[in-house]
Amino acid sequence: MSLKEVRLIRILIWILLYLVILFVLIFTVVIPSVKAYKRINGEFVQKKAEFMAAQQEHDEIYDRYKVLQSRHRKVIEAFENPWNEKVFVQKAQSYFQKIDLKPIDINSSEPYFKIYEINAMTKMESPQNFYRFLDALPAIPYVVEADFPIAFRARGGEIEGVFRIRVYEEKGSGIRPQSAESNVSSAPSEKR
């Protein structure tokens, strides 16, 4: 064996050793890292899809909420007004000759609202006044519901009416809608 052949064999052994070490590193470090990356990336893609679906659902519900809030702004404001019997009587007197209110009950068992039940005894010239009053209830700055039984009696030239009124008032337990600026959510920054 000549010196050239020994050098060639030595170089081949070093190359073979280098290739063995390279394959060992590839199979022990690189391939498991790629598998872990693929698994984590798959989880990330799944979580991102779930987040985007939840974000889209949130945005749709929030848009519906804002539309309903703007459409029913007057009712929301009416819930926020505290009940004032004098203001109500003043508004109702334009429809009745006389109106007397007798409180029956204040229902506080509702979690978000106080419900005042009131008997209204009225005197009017014609039943049309009562129906005009019912049509005007949405213009009153309270959430008011006229309830049954409704009784009319003729007394001379007047009609006496007795009916029940329910007035709904917000309890103030934190159910007021938040402003649009404080409720807008932003998408989190993506990190891998």
Side-chain angles (χ1 to χ4, degrees):
M1 238 189 206
S2 71
L3 196 57
K4 277 187 164 188
E5 289 175 351
V6 172
R7 281 187 186 165
L8 184 61
I9 292 175
R10 199 189 272 169
I11 291 174
L12 287 174
I13 291 174
W14 280 110
I15 289 175
L16 185 63
L17 184 64
Y18 173 75
L19 288 175
V20 168
I21 292 173
L22 185 66
F23 281 120
V24 167
L25 287 175
I26 287 174
F27 285 109
T28 59
V29 176
V30 175
I31 290 178
S33 297
V34 169
K35 285 182 181 178
Y37 171 77
K38 284 182 179 180
R39 182 180 50 79
I40 291 171
N41 191 40
E43 290 174 8
F44 172 75
V45 168
Q46 180 184 2
K47 295 293 181 188
K48 184 178 179 184
E50 290 172 2
F51 170 77
M52 295 305 286
Q55 180 72 32
Q56 182 178 2
E57 183 179 355
H58 169 269
D59 291 344
E60 289 171 3
I61 291 171
Y62 184 72
D63 290 342
R64 269 189 292 158
Y65 164 75
K66 292 312 271 179
V67 166
L68 288 173
Q69 187 181 33
S70 65
R71 187 182 305 159
H72 301 290
R73 171 80 10 262
K74 192 170 186 177
V75 174
I76 292 170
E77 289 171 357
F79 272 119
E80 294 172 353
N81 289 334
W83 168 245
N84 187 335
E85 184 177 324
K86 292 177 185 176
V87 172
F88 179 79
V89 169
Q90 182 183 15
K91 300 268 185 191
Q93 280 180 340
S94 60
Y95 302 98
F96 303 114
Q97 293 171 340
K98 182 180 178 190
I99 182 165
D100 292 321
L101 301 178
K102 285 188 181 177
I104 299 173
D105 185 24
I106 297 176
N107 183 352
S108 296
S109 65
E110 288 286 324
Y112 302 115
F113 303 105
K114 285 184 193 174
I115 303 172
Y116 299 92
E117 291 195 28
I118 301 164
N119 259 352
M121 284 132 324
T122 62
K123 290 186 180 181
M124 59 192 116
E125 294 173 355
S126 88
Q128 290 179 342
N129 290 359
F130 177 74
Y131 294 113
R132 286 186 198 117
F133 169 75
L134 289 180
D135 289 339
L137 280 179
I140 294 175
Y142 310 107
V143 177
V144 179
E145 172 187 42
D147 198 11
F148 292 100
I150 299 171
F152 291 119
R153 287 186 208 120
R155 300 243 180 192
E158 298 176 335
I159 298 174
E160 290 181 355
V162 178
F163 56 95
R164 183 170 288 178
I165 294 174
R166 282 198 183 112
V167 180
Y168 296 86
E169 178 183 311
E170 181 183 24
K171 278 189 178 177
S173 61
I175 63 167
R176 287 194 178 144
Q178 297 177 347
S179 66
E181 294 80 28
S182 65
N183 200 17
V184 174
S185 63
S186 60
S189 60
E190 296 178 11
K191 293 184 180 178
R192 290 190 182 190

